[in-house]
Amino acid sequence: MNRFMRLAINEAKRGILAGHGGPFGCVIVKDGVIVGKGHNQVIKNQDPTCHGEVMAIHKACKKLGTFDLSGCELYTTGEPCPMCLGAILWANIDKVYFGCNIIDTEKIGFRDNKFYSLTDEEKGEFIKELDRKQCLKLYDLYMSLENKKEY
């Protein structure tokens, strides 16, 4: 067994036994060194965004003092949901290794697969453009800043 996946599994077990949330643990590694780890804390924090990957990304960014996790690898017990995958991509993580896939996750009662299969029609029922011109002015303000951080 891969040692980093073993640590992700142990992180998930710790969260499960503490009643923090689902069986999802994560470890982020850079140059062979763990820079962040986390487990699902949705129940503990009463926050649906507290997935293991997101918690580990928070810790890795804090430890490394950057929002750019280029050069890092992520090990997680479950295939990242769309939210976590988005966070992983925004963080520029180089490689993701996962244990169980979305079908396995669905079998234990999680609905990740639903989010992968939303149609444009379904999205259109609750995602609406509003006040674009005013928001474009905000974007213009951002672009006018000399010391902005590109993401």
Side-chain angles (χ1 to χ4, degrees):
M1 176 186 288
N2 177 281
R3 70 182 177 119
F4 297 122
M5 184 59 81
R6 184 176 60 246
L7 292 170
I9 290 168
N10 289 340
E11 184 69 20
K13 282 181 185 176
R14 194 167 69 88
I16 292 168
L17 295 175
H20 292 174
F24 309 106
C26 181
V27 172
I28 299 175
V29 177
K30 185 167 187 170
D31 300 323
V33 176
I34 295 173
V35 294
K37 62 182 179 174
H39 60 266
N40 186 292
Q41 295 185 40
V42 169
I43 293 170
K44 176 186 177 191
N45 294 335
Q46 294 296 297
D47 181 342
T49 67
C50 290
H51 290 197
E53 296 92 338
V54 172
M55 303 307 287
I57 288 170
H58 287 177
K59 290 177 183 175
C61 289
K62 187 171 184 175
K63 181 172 184 170
L64 297 175
T66 181
F67 58 81
D68 185 354
L69 298 180
S70 295
C72 291
E73 296 178 334
L74 184 145
Y75 297 80
T76 183
T77 57
E79 183 173 353
C81 73
M83 177 185 70
C84 291
L85 184 57
I88 290 164
L89 292 169
W90 278 112
N92 298 312
I93 291 172
D94 290 354
K95 186 78 173 178
V96 175
Y97 298 96
F98 65 88
C100 296
N101 61 43
I102 60 171
I103 295 167
D104 300 324
T105 303
E106 187 172 34
K107 287 178 182 176
I108 64 166
F110 290 84
R111 57 194 173 115
D112 298 30
N113 201 29
K114 173 183 179 178
F115 302 111
Y116 285 106
S117 60
L118 281 178
T119 65
D120 287 340
E121 184 178 320
E122 290 170 320
K123 290 176 190 174
E125 292 179 16
F126 71 96
I127 299 175
K128 301 286 184 196
E129 187 176 288
L130 181 65
D131 295 326
R132 181 172 179 259
K133 287 182 182 179
Q134 297 311 109
C135 292
L136 283 171
K137 290 178 184 178
L138 181 66
Y139 282 22
D140 290 340
L141 172 63
Y142 175 77
M143 291 304 294
S144 73
L145 299 175
E146 289 184 27
N147 295 320
K148 66 182 172 288
K149 296 284 186 183
E150 296 286 331
Y151 196 62

